[in-house]
Amino acid sequence: MTSEVVQAQRETPFKDVVRLLDRHRISGLPVVDHDDKVVGVISGTELVRGQVARADTGRGGRLRLPRLRRSGQATAARARATTAAQLMSAPAIAVHPEQLVPDAARMMEHHGIELLPVVDEENLLIGIATRRDLLRVFLRTDEEIRRQVTEDVMAWPPNLPPPPVVVHVRDGMVTLEGRLERRSDIPVVVRSTWRIEGVVGVVNSLTYRVDDVHPPEKHHSHRIGHYWLPER
């Protein structure tokens, strides 16, 4: 996230909002109240839509509000807006600092937004996360990613020897090779690797020693054992 945040208050005039976006070359900003609690977000894209609606109205076009969808009604309202409170989308969709980057990215994609205010447990603004901030994690080097996977994901209890797993990383693609003790450990390791910042993909080449998911079955009448082979 970016900790130095350009922000507006409810009563900030329309033109001052535009000046802030232009001066700092940003795509949007949060709106806070007098206690620095986030109450909404203003997007540059929404401002442009509002200006288009305002221009259409000025040319004599009619905005038939009852026939507009909710998004169209919001655009029409912004066409008449004069303050940040009237321009903003509310309530603001925000994240907490401990949330993972992939989770924040999914929120942006799901809601179709360009920035996420970062707030503490009292909803006080402490930073901002933009699409550029989230993409920055993919600039991590392969060695940084490999080291984190090895130290965090493959960290084993101190009373047990570490599993013989080799971690390879190339262009953010992680390959896991080796054998774990239990079959049920494999999906846990793969999911944890996926959640490492900067990981583009995971190639699972892990095997296991004990199949605790599908244990050996026995045919009681003939006492013939049927065993599940490790997946390749």
Side-chain angles (χ1 to χ4, degrees):
M1 71 176 185
T2 301
S3 55
E4 296 182 4
V5 185
V6 180
Q7 60 194 50
Q9 292 190 327
R10 294 176 184 270
E11 62 273 14
T12 301
F14 174 91
K15 284 196 173 182
D16 286 349
V17 171
V18 176
R19 290 190 185 101
L20 287 171
L21 296 177
D22 180 65
R23 182 186 310 147
H24 297 278
R25 297 185 178 182
I26 53 179
S27 60
L29 49 78
V31 181
V32 299
D33 61 16
H34 292 292
D35 294 323
D36 279 340
K37 292 185 177 182
V38 179
V39 294
V41 173
I42 295 175
S43 164
T45 301
E46 292 170 340
L47 289 182
V48 171
R49 290 173 182 164
Q51 286 301 97
V52 171
R54 183 178 302 197
D56 289 343
T57 304
R59 287 197 296 266
R62 293 183 179 180
L63 294 175
R64 302 179 184 274
L65 296 182
R67 297 185 181 180
L68 291 176
R69 293 177 299 177
R70 182 176 300 179
S71 59
Q73 293 175 353
T75 299
R78 291 188 184 94
R80 302 187 298 269
T82 59
T83 65
Q86 297 168 333
L87 291 166
M88 69 183 185
S89 297
I93 299 170
V95 293
H96 296 284
E98 67 273 9
Q99 287 187 249
L100 299 175
V101 169
D103 295 335
R106 279 190 285 270
M107 288 181 66
M108 277 190 176
E109 183 66 21
H110 177 72
H111 295 283
I113 54 180
E114 302 169 3
L115 70 160
L116 288 168
V118 183
V119 299
D120 62 13
E121 62 277 1
E122 297 181 354
N123 203 38
L124 295 176
L125 181 66
I126 59 176
I128 198 81
T130 65
R131 291 182 182 270
R132 180 179 297 178
D133 293 327
L134 300 186
L135 289 173
R136 197 173 293 145
V137 303
F138 293 104
L139 298 179
R140 299 185 71 194
T141 66
D142 289 342
E143 177 57 27
E144 289 174 328
I145 296 172
R146 189 198 66 79
R147 188 184 307 117
Q148 186 173 358
V149 173
T150 302
E151 295 176 355
D152 294 354
V153 177
M154 303 310 304
W156 232 244
N159 58 326
L160 295 176
V165 173
V166 179
V167 180
H168 301 283
V169 185
R170 182 172 182 178
D171 295 332
M173 183 70 69
V174 180
T175 300
L176 304 173
E177 296 179 340
R179 186 176 70 169
L180 300 181
E181 178 68 14
R182 300 173 302 179
R183 181 176 183 175
S184 61
D185 290 331
I186 294 179
V188 176
V189 168
V190 172
R191 284 195 300 268
S192 298
T193 301
W194 260 111
R195 295 176 73 85
I196 296 293
E197 294 183 357
V199 171
V200 175
V202 179
V203 178
N204 174 23
S205 297
L206 296 170
T207 60
Y208 51 88
R209 193 183 72 83
V210 177
D211 189 349
D212 59 338
V213 178
H214 300 295
E217 296 181 353
K218 291 184 178 181
H219 194 288
H220 296 290
S221 60
H222 297 88
R223 296 185 180 181
I224 299 175
H226 300 277
Y227 297 91
W228 293 81
L229 295 178
E231 294 179 350
R232 295 182 178 273

